[in-house]
Amino acid sequence: MDSSKFSRRLRQLAGLLATSAVWVMPLVATAPAHADTIDQRNELIAHFINDMHADPLVADCAAHGSFVASTSTVVDHVDFPPEAFDSAHAEITPWHQPFDEGKQRTTVDNIVTVEGQGIPRETSHEPYPLKFRCGYVGTQMLAFTWNDPVPPLKAHTERPSKKSKRRHGGGRATGHTSKSAVKHSGTKKKKSSAKSGAKH
């Protein structure tokens, strides 16, 4: 009796260990990759400071920008020419106000700007002139933007489609007719959802 209870508990423990191993393995697999990224970033910062005489904040901003740009669909990697880190090309501007007027309204003490060349994935394409802008409080980066070459292209293709829909939508319809059309479409949607709810 005791031996059967003991063997049952052993089986339960083995099952729990097997289940936990399934959940733990992905975490173990991702941890070294994250550590590698941090190590690579730190190595890049050290390279910019020691070999290219960059200010530590400028080096940090450039390293962050380099990693962000490498995730782009069109940029393979970023090159920083030797003059990229001198005072004529890289700037540290005292700010003491929100980083921008958009989503990143956090107040920062300094804004760092640094420029580099985005080497394209397509070898036939010209390099992209990239500009990275980083907001800092002390040595901590709290905000970041860059002139990603991809979003402007997407926005350009979306805008004509919206305008064309407006132009071909209903000619010279008045505000009254457009409102009534919205009301009718709204009531149809409510009725159809009510019917589907009744069926279920």
Side-chain angles (χ1 to χ4, degrees), residues 21 37 71 89 110 115 128 137 148 169:
T37 304
T71 64
H89 296 89
N110 293 298
E115 297 177 7
Y128 299 99
V137 171
D148 186 350

Side-chain angles (χ1 to χ4, degrees), residues 14 25 60 153 182:
M25 282 303 289
D60 185 74
L153 296 173
V182 170

Side-chain angles (χ1 to χ4, degrees), residues 96-112:
H96 309 296
Q97 57 185 321
F99 181 74
D100 62 24
E101 295 179 359
K103 292 180 180 178
Q104 300 187 77
R105 292 184 187 140
T106 182
T107 300
V108 295
D109 293 339
N110 293 298
I111 285 185
V112 174

Side-chain angles (χ1 to χ4, degrees), residues 86-188:
D86 63 29
S87 58
H89 296 89
E91 294 179 2
I92 301 175
T93 309
W95 202 248
H96 309 296
Q97 57 185 321
F99 181 74
D100 62 24
E101 295 179 359
K103 292 180 180 178
Q104 300 187 77
R105 292 184 187 140
T106 182
T107 300
V108 295
D109 293 339
N110 293 298
I111 285 185
V112 174
T113 53
V114 60
E115 297 177 7
Q117 292 289 318
I119 307 305
R121 294 183 188 274
E122 291 183 15
T123 53
S124 59
H125 199 285
E126 292 288 321
Y128 299 99
L130 301 179
K131 187 172 185 177
F132 305 109
R133 186 172 178 262
C134 308
Y136 288 88
V137 171
T139 58
Q140 186 178 7
M141 185 192 300
L142 297 183
F144 172 83
T145 57
W146 70 299
N147 59 332
D148 186 350
V150 177
L153 296 173
K154 287 182 178 178
H156 183 68
T157 54
E158 285 174 4
R159 280 180 192 145
S161 63
K162 287 179 183 177
K163 286 180 182 177
S164 61
K165 283 179 184 176
R166 287 176 189 164
R167 284 178 188 162
H168 301 297
R172 295 186 177 181
T174 62
H176 177 70
T177 53
S178 61
K179 283 179 184 176
S180 63
V182 170
K183 284 180 184 176
H184 288 305
S185 63
T187 52
K188 284 178 184 176

Side-chain angles (χ1 to χ4, degrees), residues 2-105:
D2 290 340
S3 62
S4 64
K5 283 182 181 177
F6 181 71
S7 61
R8 192 182 314 141
R9 285 181 183 172
L10 275 177
R11 283 197 301 272
Q12 288 173 346
L13 180 62
L16 285 170
L17 287 172
T19 307
S20 62
V22 171
W23 289 102
V24 170
M25 282 303 289
L27 295 175
V28 172
T30 56
H34 182 65
D36 288 346
T37 304
I38 292 171
D39 289 343
Q40 288 171 0
R41 189 172 184 272
N42 290 338
E43 285 174 11
L44 197 56
I45 291 169
H47 166 63
F48 291 154
I49 293 171
N50 298 327
D51 302 330
M52 301 182 78
H53 311 292
D55 180 273
L57 284 185
V58 173
D60 185 74
C61 184
H64 185 75
S66 180
F67 275 97
V68 171
S70 67
T71 64
S72 168
T73 55
V74 296
V75 177
D76 180 67
H77 65 279
V78 181
D79 278 348
F80 293 97
E83 67 274 10
F85 300 117
D86 63 29
S87 58
H89 296 89
E91 294 179 2
I92 301 175
T93 309
W95 202 248
H96 309 296
Q97 57 185 321
F99 181 74
D100 62 24
E101 295 179 359
K103 292 180 180 178
Q104 300 187 77
R105 292 184 187 140

